Amino acid sequence: GFVVVFENGRCWLYDVKGQRAWQPSLAGQGEIWSAAFDGDGLWVASGPNRVQRYHFEGLRLDQQFVPKMELLDRIYYHVALPLYRLFPRPGELDSTIAHLLGAEGRAETERSPQELARGGGVVDPWRPIGNSLAFTAVVLMLCCAYMRWTDF
């Protein structure tokens, strides 16, 4: 068989003898960067600096290698990245508009350098809308709380 890691970070296995494909239940599905077989196991690299080895029979976890996160890594993954995901990114709204207009199949030469660097653009065209709504809701709640507690 063989393993395929898709652009969305999901891993699928294909059994050549049984001629079937399936998405195994692996930790980190959606964050997988690479996967490879060895003699009787599957190695998976995923998430922030994590490598795992699954025994092929039943895909049970055999080994896991995760280095201790330094202070800057913890700040990045637990503070900076959630804030980045919360704040709106108006530069990505062009992907939503292209999706609405049906221009998803643009040639590689028509894509912006930012889209090409991200691997072809935003996978979910609705993410910028959701980010903007979440940001607006948080700011509105903070403003309402400030107005409630402030005595003018």
Side-chain angles (χ1 to χ4, degrees), residues 103-146:
E104 296 170 300
R106 295 181 291 161
E108 291 294 318
T109 56
E110 297 176 9
R111 294 189 177 181
S112 70
Q114 292 83 5
E115 286 178 327
L116 292 173
R118 286 193 309 255
V122 177
V123 175
D124 180 13
W126 302 108
R127 181 177 291 156
I129 301 294
N131 286 353
S132 297
L133 288 174
F135 177 76
T136 303
V138 168
V139 170
L140 184 60
M141 286 190 300
L142 289 174
C143 289
C144 288
Y146 175 75

Side-chain angles (χ1 to χ4, degrees), residues 69-138:
M69 292 179 115
E70 299 293 328
L71 177 62
L72 288 178
D73 292 331
R74 287 194 305 254
I75 291 171
Y76 173 75
Y77 285 108
H78 300 297
V79 177
L81 196 56
L83 285 175
Y84 170 75
R85 289 182 178 155
L86 175 65
F87 283 103
R89 295 182 286 281
E92 292 181 358
L93 286 173
D94 62 339
S95 298
T96 305
I97 293 170
H99 176 76
L100 289 173
L101 296 176
E104 296 170 300
R106 295 181 291 161
E108 291 294 318
T109 56
E110 297 176 9
R111 294 189 177 181
S112 70
Q114 292 83 5
E115 286 178 327
L116 292 173
R118 286 193 309 255
V122 177
V123 175
D124 180 13
W126 302 108
R127 181 177 291 156
I129 301 294
N131 286 353
S132 297
L133 288 174
F135 177 76
T136 303
V138 168

